[in-house]
Each structure stands twice: as C-alpha cells, then as structure tokens.
Amino acid sequence: MLNPSDESNLERMPRPARKLSNFIAQELLYDYMRGALSADRQTAMKESLQSSPDLQYELRSMSDAEKYAQELSKTKISPIYLEELSQIRPGTEVFLDKLRWKNWPDFMRWATEALLISIVVAVAAMFVPWASFNFEFPKSTSNVMLAEIKEAPSGQDASPTPSVTVPPEDSTSTTPVAVSASAPVTASVAATAPEPTPVSARTEPMEDEAVTEPESELKAAQTIASGTSTAEAKKVATPKGLLYRVMMSIESDDEITQSIRDKIVELGGEKAGQVELGWKKKNPDGSYYHFTLPENNYQELITTLGVYGPVRIYKNPHDRVMPEGQIRIILWVEEKSQDEQGQ
Amino acid sequence: MLQPELIEKIALFFYFSFLDETKANSATAHTIKSIRQQYVAQKKDDKKLTPAEFVAATENYMRKLSRGTKATSLAFSAGPIQLPPHSNWGPWFEFRKVASEKDFRALLYSKVLNISEEDIAEGLGLPIGTVRYRVGRGLKTLGRICHMGGVDAES
C-alpha cells in the first residue's frame, strides 16, 4: 500500500494483519491441517483458531478422524482369499487359455500331430523328384491308341482296298497320315503319343515273355484302349523303346494265317518270341505273331493287314529298345465267332 | 496378473463401501474380471495397473450400481477380512450412512486406501482441488461422528 501523503517518496506500507471470516476459516481448515497454506494464511488461521473454540473443535475432530481412518487402513485381506482373488480370470482369458497347446486333450494333440505329419509326408512325396532316383517301379500299362482302322461296309465297295489311317514315321507325332481314302475311316487319336516310360522292373529276356504276353497284354491293351487318359500318357517321362501292338478281329482261317505269315516274312519280319509266327491259341481263339520288322516296311504291313479287316494299333512304351530301323510288333488276329459274324 | 496390493485394495474398497461380505466379494470378483477383460482386449499387461486406473474401475462399478450401495448393517465373517485389533467399526458404519457418496469415496480412497490425491483426481476425472475439498468435508463428518460417539482413535 502506498503512502498518499508523500507522492514523491512512495513507500510500501505494511499490510494490516489478515482477518479470516469464520466461513473461510472453516473451508481452509483441511489445508491448514495439511500445512498447505501460504505463510500469511497460516498465520491468519492460527489467529482465527485462537479466537474460535468451534474451529478448535473442528480441527481436533478432523485430526481424530484422520487417525481413525489410518487405523482402519491397517485392515488386511487374508492371504487365502487374496490368492482366490488373484485366480479370477475373465471368460475370454479362460477360453484363450484352453486354446493353448499344452491345455489340449491328449487325443486332440495326437490327432493334430498325425495330421501334420501326413501333410508333410504328402507334400514331400509330391515335390521330391522321384525320377532322378531311378527307382524300378512296376511296369507301366499306359497304352495309347494311335489309330483305328475299320473295314468299309460290305455294300459300298467290293474291292478290298481299305482306308487306313496310320501314324507317321515319327512315333511321337500326333497327326495321323491317311494312306488311302476310298473307304470310310474311323480314326480316333486317343492321345498324343507318349514318351516311352522309364525302364520298368521287368528285365527278363525277350523270349521268356513270348508265350505269356498274348493273353495278359492283349487283355490289358483292350482294357486300356477304352480308358487310357491323356494325362496318364503324359506322365511317362523318359523315352526307351516301343512295342507295337496290332490287333484284328476277323473271320480267320488257315489260309489267311499263312498269307499273313508269308507277308511278314516277305517284308523282312523275323520271329521274336519262342512260338512260331501265327501260333494258334485257344480261348480266346486267334493267331499270335511276335516278330521284328524293318521299320520302313511297317506301313506296307499295316496296309496289307487292312485288307482283311479293321486294324487297331497301339504303341506301348517298353523297356526293351530295338536297334535302329527295327521295330517289334505283336500281332493278334482274333477269330470272330459265328455269333459275332451274324451280328 | 494384477499386483496383489491392488487386488487387496479393490477388495478393501468394496468391503468398506458395502460393509457386507457377500456383496463385497461379488463386486471384487466382478471388478477384477472387468479389469482383466479390458487388459486382454487391449493386449496390455495388467501388472501395470495404475492407482488412477484402479480408482476409475471401482468408481465405474459403483456408478453402475447407482443405488442400494449404502450399508444397512455390518455383515462380516472372520474369514476373508482381517480387522485391526480393538477396531471400532461403529463410526465408519455411521459415516457410511450419513456422508454423501462423493465425500465418502474421497475419504476412503485418500485416507483408508492411501491413494494420492493426484491419482484420485485423475481416476475420477476431477480437479485436485475438488478432491481435497471432498476429503476435508468427509473428515469433518467423520470427526464429528467420532467425537459424538466418544471414539478415541488412539485407544
């Protein structure tokens, strides 16, 4: 406060002692108890307390209340109950805990492990390059029908000139080559000629299979001809050799058998199995020819055979590789029964 | 896992608030579950629960109850809670009935559970002056009750 009497020499006048009202003193009592007031207010509160018994009573009761509260704060929770409380978990946490691997039931863990192992093995089996290991797998039965030659209907043309669709020289080509077109042709290329299969497990000499091949392999060829898929054929990996299977179903007699045999010999064919060319077999009845032939005479042979009836040709991948310019053929001429002829 | 001291404080808060063992146990379990649920959802470590968060959680629970929280009788067994020797629950029981909810809780947090006024203010979302005012008023009420009943805190 300034001294108004002497304006040239302004001095701060001492402030008169602050007097707190009873209401303010009541409100500041807690802060006074805590010692949180400024020095001025602290002094003023002391003066108010000295002059007011009510304030003194209030202060004493607050102090007692604080001590009482501090006494209550010593209350404890028993350790057992505290342990129980610490185990309380929300439903989500319980659920997540049950999802943990260690909490799974044994059978679920085993089943999962088995499933994972199966998947790993399956994936490994799919991606391992098995061909590079050169395992000897069972002989492949994937046959490919290159062409089917049917005889012309008897009413249309009496001449024996057949219509033959044969594969070109290159056995891997997929385009049949028409030799003659005078008769109707039913050529069905079942699949692209596959690369020959890898060497199969069987390696016995050629002669050993001569007798057994007609029955088993002819049946296999007939079965496969109807159902062999392109996909299977494409699975064949490494080219080796080819076995030509030629099948006919005609009304055959000894004369035809002899003429076919003569034609084969004339074209340079040589017996390849143990049985002679034109070996007669029973049930099913037919003639069996297993022979080698110069490759350049192959088409002429097929053309000749087409004279007698429809010719079905299959090229089977085989583990036996023929010399250059030579091919191996198994010709099966099945005799038509009287019933079939009637139909 | 919550710190044991905070779990104890949660339990004590509800014991001093309800003065009923059954209600206090239920409220404690519910609050602990709620806190942990939040921490699971937020992928936080509930070891880091702060006193302010504790205040907010308990206040939230009491706000949901909104009424019927005042005790009508003391219902304690000798099991979970261990009272200090020679303790007199009479003034506190009377204080629970007489004091306003705000003053009661402010005093409970500050003087019984020993949480700092800054944390209380943060947990309640109030200025610290308001908290101090409520604590002071609560102390006055409790002090009058103690004096009327002839309670000597030091006895």
Side-chain angles (χ1 to χ4, degrees):
Chain A
M1 186 178 285
L2 300 175
N3 187 357
S5 60
D6 186 5
E7 291 186 358
S8 59
N9 186 19
L10 295 176
E11 290 180 356
R12 185 175 288 278
M13 297 291 288
R15 183 180 283 176
R18 204 169 191 176
K19 181 115 178 146
L20 296 175
S21 68
N22 197 39
F23 175 77
I24 296 292
Q26 285 276 353
E27 295 302 312
L28 294 176
L29 207 53
Y30 177 59
D31 288 328
Y32 174 76
M33 197 174 80
R34 289 172 56 240
L37 291 175
S38 63
D40 288 349
R41 286 197 164 177
Q42 197 80 10
T43 312
M45 275 298 293
K46 278 179 185 171
E47 288 175 4
S48 297
L49 277 167
Q50 283 171 358
S51 61
S52 172
D54 287 346
L55 273 180
Q56 290 172 20
Y57 173 77
E58 280 293 347
L59 183 63
R60 202 165 48 248
S61 63
M62 283 176 75
S63 179
D64 288 345
E66 193 171 26
K67 286 175 186 169
Y68 175 70
Q70 283 173 357
E71 192 67 23
L72 286 183
S73 70
K74 293 175 186 168
T75 308
K76 294 286 176 192
I77 299 293
S78 73
I80 298 170
Y81 183 54
L82 210 55
E83 183 64 28
E84 283 178 21
L85 290 176
S86 64
Q87 299 301 323
I88 292 173
R89 294 183 303 166
T92 314
E93 198 176 321
V94 173
F95 177 71
L96 290 175
D97 194 48
K98 284 190 176 176
L99 285 183
R100 283 182 190 151
W101 177 253
K102 65 176 182 181
N103 294 333
W104 284 29
D106 282 346
F107 78 92
M108 286 286 288
R109 281 200 275 181
W110 293 339
T112 310
E113 284 171 3
L115 181 66
L116 287 175
I117 291 169
S118 309
I119 290 170
V120 168
V121 169
V123 169
M126 284 169 65
F127 290 103
V128 169
W130 297 107
S132 63
F133 292 116
N134 203 18
F135 289 132
E136 293 188 345
F137 292 110
K139 189 174 181 180
S140 170
T141 56
S142 57
N143 295 344
V144 180
M145 184 175 75
L146 297 180
E148 185 175 357
I149 303 168
K150 285 190 177 176
E151 193 177 17
S154 56
Q156 283 188 355
D157 191 355
S159 73
T161 309
S163 172
V164 181
T165 303
V166 295
E169 287 297 318
D170 181 7
S171 63
T172 58
S173 170
T174 57
T175 311
V177 179
V179 176
S180 168
S182 61
V185 175
T186 311
S188 60
V189 178
T192 58
E195 296 296 324
T197 51
V199 177
S200 66
R202 292 178 51 190
T203 54
E204 64 264 35
M206 191 184 240
E207 285 72 21
D208 294 344
E209 68 179 18
V211 178
T212 56
E213 271 182 346
E215 294 176 23
S216 60
E217 294 190 0
L218 285 176
K219 283 178 184 174
Q222 287 168 352
T223 308
I224 290 161
S226 60
T228 306
S229 67
T230 310
E232 286 176 355
K234 282 181 179 175
K235 283 179 185 174
V236 178
T238 319
K240 290 284 181 175
L242 280 177
L243 173 64
Y244 290 69
R245 291 187 180 277
V246 181
M247 282 180 274
M248 302 175 70
S249 183
I250 57 174
E251 187 182 352
S252 176
D253 55 21
D254 291 344
E255 190 177 338
I256 292 175
T257 303
Q258 184 60 43
S259 61
I260 290 173
R261 185 188 300 134
D262 292 345
K263 187 65 182 176
I264 290 169
V265 172
E266 181 191 328
L267 293 173
E270 290 180 8
K271 183 187 80 163
Q274 285 184 335
V275 295
E276 74 277 7
L277 294 174
W279 173 64
K280 289 287 183 185
K281 187 187 173 302
K282 295 290 180 187
N283 194 24
D285 295 347
S287 305
Y288 176 79
Y289 305 80
H290 185 182
F291 56 97
T292 59
L293 189 75
E295 195 170 5
N296 50 11
N297 291 337
Y298 168 72
Q299 286 189 25
E300 188 179 347
L301 175 68
I302 298 300
T303 307
T304 306
L305 291 173
V307 171
Y308 301 111
V311 179
R312 283 173 293 156
I313 304 167
Y314 304 96
K315 287 186 176 181
N316 288 353
H318 202 276
D319 55 347
R320 194 165 293 121
V321 181
M322 295 301 292
E324 188 74 21
Q326 288 284 318
I327 57 174
R328 191 159 65 95
I329 299 173
I330 291 176
L331 169 62
W332 170 248
V333 181
E334 187 174 356
E335 290 181 12
K336 269 185 182 176
S337 65
Q338 293 298 323
D339 294 340
E340 286 174 338
Q341 290 176 33
Q343 288 171 2
Chain B
M1 186 69 72
L2 282 170
Q3 306 99 305
E5 59 268 29
L6 275 178
I7 291 177
E8 186 172 35
K9 280 186 179 177
I10 292 169
L12 284 175
F13 173 84
F14 288 114
Y15 268 97
F16 282 112
S17 295
F18 293 125
L19 299 175
D20 183 305
E21 191 176 305
T22 310
K23 283 183 183 176
N25 288 348
S26 167
T28 305
H30 186 276
T31 306
I32 291 172
K33 271 187 188 176
S34 171
I35 290 170
R36 287 192 171 148
Q37 182 70 52
Q38 286 176 15
Y39 275 72
V40 168
Q42 295 169 7
K43 296 181 178 174
K44 283 168 68 180
D45 183 6
D46 59 7
K47 281 181 183 173
K48 294 174 184 169
L49 184 75
T50 61
E53 287 173 330
F54 153 74
V55 170
T58 48
E59 184 69 14
N60 192 37
Y61 184 85
M62 296 302 280
R63 201 180 296 132
K64 279 180 187 170
L65 289 180
S66 74
R67 61 179 177 177
T69 57
K70 288 209 171 184
T72 52
S73 63
L74 282 170
F76 286 147
S77 71
I81 194 165
Q82 295 173 344
L83 300 171
H86 312 298
S87 59
N88 181 359
W89 281 79
W92 187 262
F93 181 66
E94 199 62 29
F95 175 61
R96 181 74 186 95
K97 286 200 289 187
V98 172
S100 74
E101 282 291 321
K102 292 173 182 175
D103 297 349
F104 172 79
R105 269 181 239 157
L107 185 70
L108 177 57
Y109 285 130
S110 176
K111 300 299 177 188
V112 179
L113 300 177
N114 295 320
I115 294 169
S116 71
E117 287 164 348
E118 289 80 5
D119 287 333
I120 298 169
E122 188 186 338
L124 297 178
L126 295 171
I128 192 165
T130 307
V131 174
R132 283 180 185 152
Y133 174 73
R134 288 180 183 178
V135 173
R137 225 167 42 177
L139 275 177
K140 279 180 196 170
T141 310
L142 181 61
R144 280 187 214 119
I145 292 167
C146 288
H147 272 243
M148 279 193 302
V151 174
D152 185 356
E154 296 184 19
S155 64

